Amino acid sequence: MGHGVPELVLELNGQTWTLDPSRSYTLGRDPQGDVVLEDARVSWRHAIVRWSGRSWVIEDQGSTNGTFVQGQRVHQMEVGPGSAVHLGNAADGPRLMFGAAAAASGDLYSAQTALAAQGQAQPVQHQQHQQQPAAGWAHQAAQAPQPQAYQQPPQQGGWQQQHQQPPHAQQHAQPPQHQQPHIPQQAAAPAGQPAAGTGGAPPVYGDRSPTSFHQMAVGRVMRIGRALENELVVADLQVSRHHAEFRATGDGRFEIVDLGSHNGTYVNGQPVSRQIIGPQDIVGVGHSTFRLVGDRLEEFVDTGDVSFSARHLTVTVDGGKQILKDVSFGVPEKSLIAVIGPSGSGKSTLLKALTGYRPANQGDVLYDNRNLYKQFAELRQRIGLVPQDDILHKELSVRKALRYAAKLRFPGDTAPAEREARIDEVLRELKLDIHKDKKVTSLSGGQRKRVSVALELLTKPSLIFLDEPTSGLDPGMDRDVMQLLRGLADDGRTVLVVTHSVAELALCDKLLVMAPGGSVAYFGPPEEALNFFGYETWADVFSAFENYRDYDWAGRWKGSQHYQMYAADIDAVAPQQVTPQVVKPPKPQSWGSQLWTLMRRYCSVIASDRGFLALMVILPAVLGGVSCVIPSDFGLGAPARGHFNQDAGTIMLILAVGMCFSGAANSVRELIKERVIYERERAVGLSRSAYLMSKVIVLGVITAFQGVIICAIGFSVRKLPETGLIVKNAPAVELCLMIIALGITSMMIGLVISSLVKTAEKTMPLLVMYAIVQVVFTGIMFKIYNSPGIEQFAWLMPSRWAVAGTATTLDLSHIMAPMDRSNPTSTDQLWQHTAGQWSIDLVVLLLLGVACGFAVARLLRRHEPEVMRK
């Protein structure tokens, strides 16, 4: 043993081993190993402990259940006196304790040994052999601000100087002294700036130690990806098979080069294709981040143990009204936080601000000390959001719904077997495997909410937000859902739930109570909340909010002991003024792949709805059949001498208006009923144009099929001209093409209506209104041509051009009686019996449909996360 190399003592189950730096030690169930553990969770050869030349390290050997330090799974970690390591399970797996040998316990290790004796074992910091602070959160009473009674008003204009205390509010008991505020240790450092103790580098996951290290060499290319042939394998389905490369430059520096990955490569939260990196830069790939320190690469894997905080969030709407006022709070990792409050307290606004959907006008949202608004492009992949409405198609089975979601969210090079394995894993975790082949619509409310959560868990988010997940559920299901969320937090995620239910708040770690007007009335443990307000029930608290809306609830909160204990340090930090990042979201799938997946999913939804399938056939058949009721002695042929066939125009009017109604009815509900689904999928990279085109193509095919049915029935009993203008031997084809084009344009107008309305109930009155307007402006009922104003307005009506197109084929200008009795020789220019006029009528009709498509695309932007709009 060389001079100065410290021996290390390993303790396990009362046994001790003095480790010699000249050799390595194997740990596992292998009887031939150096340290044998009889625990099924421990792998055969689980880990080794060795001297690396400058420090002792423990290195996981690819174990099944992992090696954990301070609850975090690690691949390689420096250890020293005072370190504690768990094998196989972060909480109760076999615990290894490390201490200094008696001969080597000099001043270097004395402090660590004392800490170990007090049960405060800490892993050794890289290259410094000093204890590492607890990850991200302070738990030491010395750092807690001294509580002061909330009765004491602030020095300048406190709440007691402005308002009287509401009736029945009692002075709450002093909080237990042993409970300390959960405030990030790095809270005082502005996001993105070096934090104390990090050697000048920006904080990555607080002060957590790297998950693993990778040696860099000049002239060497290190490729990152999911495939095993990469030099740096990242087992993450958010990562492409060959994602990016670290390359050495000629001047000794390194650069990161994206290899056309699906979810992007990020440097300091910004997407890049190629960039030189330095020690201050953080490279993000999937759930992993990398930092170059000297000649080696430090990897940090986001396993869900992240802190989260909001600072001074303020949202102002048009007119200067603040609907969210100076909201600040901070929560530790693996926490369940409930947000409650009366209507109008800004809960939904807060949720949008916390997720980046609608960034606050002022303030910061910090994801483990990284500014969410500034680095939204990367961090959005770590956030799951479950809206109040289900984010899946209820007509599909559970497995099929998750399969389509996985297809859209995972990279295009993900194998079907990889997606299926992840789906099965999530189904087992949420106990949905027994329901996987059932239709979502057949599940109970609580089970459907589990499926929505399962959809979000596919990509392993570290933060999960839920909006009213227990709305409409009975008390039993309410409890089941809250217990599910408690389990998600215990498994290593931070969960924030907005709820109206107060029955299961005891399951939460922290409770945020919002007051009318969007300010914080309380933040802290749920068991202390009622005592803080001085009421016995939450009904009394909410009544007080309603009866005393002008009361300074926020001032009361900031003057309380609870505020000093749970929020003062967070609130004291001035927020950065950060311009929200406007991003073009990377697309996990190519545009064509997304379109194909969306079309397949839409067809599956339609095929599972037998009622819609029946209506799709019955509606055009009835509309076509109605036209057969009209008698016509002369059919649709040329008039006899002195006679006109007025019925010909009436027949075409009925067929055209029937197609208008049928086409618009197909689409008028399609966007509004999927609005919540679209909002969520757009946030994770869905292409707006691919989504719209999937609707247009599938609904267009259905509408064309209906047009054929209407024409086949409507023309089957009619005498048609012997020749057409374009299709010489088949005039019925010309007529059918014009009717189908009318149906497709009407279908596009239906999409416009669907994108405009706020509720599905409003679509039917607008559909009826649209059909009636089309009847009026066909040009059959009265003279439209040569009528200033009316003629120009009629140019915007699809029925005007469609009826004109059929009139050119049938030569209705001569078959029907003249529209202008004062001038019988005048005719409608759009009805001219020429091939050129027929083509113009068809082209203009289709252009109206294209214009509607552009309008729908613009209207869809209103339902996307504001920070992502282009």
Side-chain angles (χ1 to χ4, degrees):
M1 182 176 66
H3 179 70
V5 176
E7 290 181 337
L8 193 67
V9 173
L10 168 63
E11 181 181 348
L12 173 68
N13 296 331
Q15 294 182 282
T16 59
W17 292 261
T18 300
L19 308 184
D20 184 351
S22 64
R23 54 163 299 195
S24 60
Y25 296 83
T26 61
L27 295 75
R29 290 188 291 109
D30 183 3
Q32 305 301 318
D34 299 295
V35 180
V36 182
L37 299 94
E38 298 295 337
D39 191 304
R41 295 170 294 181
V42 177
S43 297
W44 190 256
R45 292 178 60 85
H46 195 103
I48 63 171
V49 178
R50 60 181 176 84
W51 175 256
S52 67
R54 57 186 176 186
S55 63
W56 285 97
V57 297
I58 185 168
E59 184 174 342
D60 189 270
Q61 298 296 293
S63 63
T64 301
N65 294 319
T67 301
F68 299 88
V69 175
Q70 293 183 347
Q72 304 172 56
R73 186 165 183 167
V74 299
H75 171 68
Q76 181 176 305
M77 182 74 184
E78 297 186 11
V79 293
S83 297
V85 178
H86 287 273
L87 305 182
N89 186 282
D92 59 357
R95 186 186 189 199
L96 309 176
M97 288 296 300
F98 294 92
S105 56
D107 294 339
L108 182 63
Y109 293 110
S110 58
Q112 294 171 332
T113 306
L115 278 177
Q118 299 172 13
Q120 300 180 11
Q122 305 290 340
V124 177
Q125 179 77 3
H126 168 57
Q127 290 187 340
Q128 295 179 355
H129 296 292
Q130 297 176 356
Q131 68 178 42
Q132 179 175 317
W137 297 93
H139 297 282
Q140 298 161 354
Q143 295 180 350
Q146 294 299 320
Q148 61 184 127
Y150 80 87
Q151 299 95 323
Q152 179 182 352
Q155 295 300 316
Q156 298 179 356
W159 65 275
Q160 286 185 332
Q161 298 172 354
Q162 300 172 7
H163 303 285
Q164 294 182 353
Q165 189 167 344
H168 308 297
Q170 306 166 2
Q171 289 188 357
H172 61 283
Q174 182 170 325
Q177 294 301 316
H178 69 275
Q179 296 197 25
Q180 303 301 336
H182 296 287
I183 306 300
Q185 289 184 355
Q186 304 293 343
Q193 296 298 321
T198 59
V204 182
Y205 303 135
D207 269 351
R208 296 184 178 92
S209 294
T211 307
S212 60
F213 305 94
H214 309 278
Q215 196 67 33
M216 302 288 287
V218 178
R220 177 186 174 192
V221 174
M222 181 178 290
R223 188 171 58 185
I224 307 172
R226 202 175 69 250
L228 296 178
E229 61 264 24
N230 293 286
E231 288 78 13
L232 203 164
V233 178
V234 179
D236 181 357
L237 289 182
Q238 293 290 87
V239 177
S240 299
R241 291 183 58 82
H242 301 100
H243 196 102
E245 287 181 346
F246 283 102
R247 298 176 182 173
T249 62
D251 55 1
R253 295 185 296 173
F254 291 91
E255 66 176 350
I256 183 70
V257 180
D258 186 81
L259 299 179
S261 63
H262 294 84
N263 283 324
T265 302
Y266 301 86
V267 174
N268 302 325
Q270 311 301 315
V272 299
S273 56
R274 177 190 295 262
Q275 183 167 322
I276 298 292
I277 59 172
Q280 301 295 321
D281 295 321
I282 299 174
V283 179
V285 174
H287 286 82
S288 297
T289 50
F290 302 89
R291 186 169 59 190
L292 189 63
V293 179
D295 61 348
R296 71 176 184 175
L297 198 65
E298 297 182 348
E299 179 181 5
F300 300 78
V301 178
D302 184 350
T303 58
D305 300 342
V306 299
S307 60
F308 185 74
S309 62
R311 298 177 182 171
H312 302 281
L313 297 183
T314 299
V315 174
T316 306
V317 295
D318 295 338
K321 180 181 179 181
Q322 290 184 343
I323 57 177
L324 201 67
K325 299 179 182 178
D326 197 27
V327 175
S328 298
F329 64 94
V331 295
E333 59 196 39
K334 298 183 181 179
S335 294
L336 173 59
I337 304 95
V339 180
I340 64 172
S343 299
S345 59
K347 298 187 300 297
S348 297
T349 303
L350 175 62
L351 192 65
K352 292 179 180 179
L354 294 177
T355 56
Y357 270 40
R358 198 291 187 193
N361 301 96
Q362 300 176 20
D364 304 325
V365 176
L366 300 186
Y367 177 105
D368 243 15
N369 293 322
R370 302 177 66 186
N371 195 296
L372 175 65
Y373 295 161
K374 190 175 181 180
Q375 304 185 23
F376 184 77
E378 177 186 356
L379 296 181
R380 69 184 179 85
Q381 302 180 42
R382 320 266 183 96
I383 296 175
L385 174 62
V386 181
Q388 182 174 348
D389 297 324
D390 293 325
I391 50 176
L392 37 83
H393 293 85
K394 299 178 182 179
E395 301 86 356
L396 302 178
S397 68
V398 172
R399 175 178 285 278
K400 187 172 288 188
L402 294 180
R403 186 176 291 155
Y404 283 122
K407 178 70 174 174
L408 288 172
R409 297 191 181 200
F410 289 147
D413 58 7
T414 306
E418 292 178 293
R419 291 196 298 269
E420 292 296 323
R422 179 57 188 158
I423 292 171
D424 290 338
E425 184 180 351
V426 171
L427 289 174
R428 287 193 300 269
E429 179 180 359
L430 298 183
K431 298 180 176 59
L432 287 170
D433 45 344
I434 60 176
H435 304 295
K436 61 184 179 182
D437 295 322
K438 297 180 182 178
K439 283 189 176 183
V440 175
T441 188
S442 68
L443 301 178
S444 66
Q447 290 169 344
R448 284 202 301 271
K449 193 57 63 177
R450 282 178 178 264
V451 178
S452 293
V453 173
L455 190 151
E456 290 300 311
L457 290 184
L458 288 174
T459 54
K460 297 184 178 180
S462 300
L463 283 173
I464 302 179
F465 297 88
L466 300 99
D467 188 9
E468 299 287 355
T470 61
S471 178
L473 302 183
D474 60 50
M477 290 183 179
D478 180 0
R479 180 181 58 191
D480 290 343
V481 171
M482 291 302 292
Q483 288 177 341
L484 166 67
L485 303 183
R486 177 72 263 172
L488 293 177
D490 292 338
D491 288 341
R493 305 173 183 92
T494 299
V495 182
L496 187 145
V497 53
V498 174
T499 180
H500 277 114
S501 175
V502 296
E504 304 297 333
L505 295 180
L507 292 173
C508 302
D509 298 298
K510 289 290 185 294
L511 176 64
L512 177 66
V513 182
M514 300 295 292
S519 58
V520 177
Y522 173 81
F523 176 73
E527 61 270 15
E528 299 176 18
L530 286 176
N531 189 38
F532 170 82
F533 288 106
Y535 292 99
E536 295 183 357
T537 67
W538 282 108
D540 295 331
V541 176
F542 278 58
S543 294
F545 283 149
E546 181 63 29
N547 296 332
Y548 304 97
R549 298 187 70 89
D550 294 332
Y551 180 74
D552 187 10
W553 296 101
R556 181 178 188 272
W557 157 243
K558 290 187 176 181
S560 70
Q561 296 178 4
H562 285 78
Y563 171 79
Q564 294 297 329
M565 295 189 67
Y566 302 116
D569 283 6
I570 283 285
D571 207 25
V573 179
Q576 281 188 305
Q577 296 300 318
V578 177
T579 302
Q581 180 188 28
V582 180
V583 301
K584 180 179 181 181
K587 299 176 177 61
Q589 301 278 331
S590 65
W591 189 90
S593 179
Q594 283 195 11
L595 175 63
W596 178 240
T597 300
L598 290 167
M599 288 173 58
R600 289 174 56 200
R601 183 177 70 179
Y602 193 24
C603 289
S604 297
V605 171
I606 292 174
S608 63
D609 189 347
R610 295 182 180 178
F612 180 81
L613 289 175
L615 186 63
M616 184 177 68
V617 177
I618 294 173
L619 179 62
V622 170
L623 294 175
V626 168
S627 69
C628 296
V629 177
I630 302 174
S632 177
D633 295 336
F634 300 98
L636 296 178
R641 183 179 179 83
H643 296 277
F644 294 95
N645 186 354
Q646 199 66 28
D647 292 334
T650 304
I651 294 170
M652 293 313 305
L653 169 66
I654 291 175
L655 291 177
V657 173
M659 194 69 247
C660 283
F661 184 85
S662 184
N666 288 337
S667 60
V668 76
R669 288 176 176 262
E670 288 308 305
L671 298 183
I672 181 62
K673 75 179 184 181
E674 291 186 358
R675 182 162 296 172
V676 176
I677 299 175
Y678 173 74
E679 288 178 3
R680 184 64 193 125
E681 291 184 340
R682 178 71 176 134
V684 295
L686 179 68
S687 167
R688 183 194 309 144
S689 58
Y691 175 79
L692 180 57
M693 282 303 299
S694 71
K695 296 293 184 185
V696 171
I697 293 173
V698 175
L699 291 174
V701 171
I702 293 173
T703 303
F705 173 73
Q706 292 176 324
V708 172
I709 294 177
I710 287 179
C711 293
I713 296 175
F715 297 150
S716 62
V717 296
R718 308 297 178 187
K719 180 181 178 182
L720 299 178
E722 296 181 356
T723 60
L725 296 172
I726 302 296
V727 186
K728 297 297 184 182
N729 299 324
V733 174
E734 274 186 27
L735 296 172
C736 192
L737 286 175
M738 197 63 69
I739 293 296
I740 289 174
L742 173 61
I744 292 175
T745 301
S746 297
M747 179 265 294
M748 297 301 299
I749 293 177
L751 290 178
V752 173
I753 295 174
S754 191
S755 62
L756 280 172
V757 298
K758 293 184 178 180
T759 62
E761 290 74 17
K762 294 180 180 179
T763 59
M764 294 313 296
L766 293 175
L767 175 62
V768 173
M769 182 182 70
Y770 167 72
I772 292 176
V773 170
Q774 297 309 303
V775 172
V776 175
F777 290 97
T778 54
I780 295 292
M781 299 183 66
F782 62 95
K783 183 177 75 72
I784 289 180
Y785 63 94
N786 295 334
S787 300
I790 296 179
E791 180 179 16
Q792 287 72 34
F793 181 77
W795 290 344
L796 301 176
M797 300 296 112
S799 63
R800 168 70 168 140
W801 297 96
V803 169
T806 59
T808 59
T809 298
L810 299 172
D811 196 13
L812 289 186
S813 293
H814 298 95
I815 292 176
M816 293 176 58
M819 287 286 182
D820 190 351
R821 301 298 176 86
S822 61
N823 185 9
T825 60
S826 68
T827 59
D828 193 334
Q829 295 298 313
L830 303 185
W831 289 19
Q832 290 182 1
H833 187 58
T834 63
Q837 186 59 52
W838 185 92
S839 300
I840 291 174
D841 294 339
L842 179 64
V843 169
V844 173
L845 181 59
L846 294 176
L847 286 177
L848 287 175
V850 172
C852 289
F854 282 106
V856 174
R858 296 294 296 177
L859 291 170
L860 280 175
R861 293 179 69 253
R862 301 185 308 162
H863 310 298
E864 298 173 359
E866 182 176 317
V867 75
M868 295 175 60
R869 296 176 188 172
K870 301 191 294 293

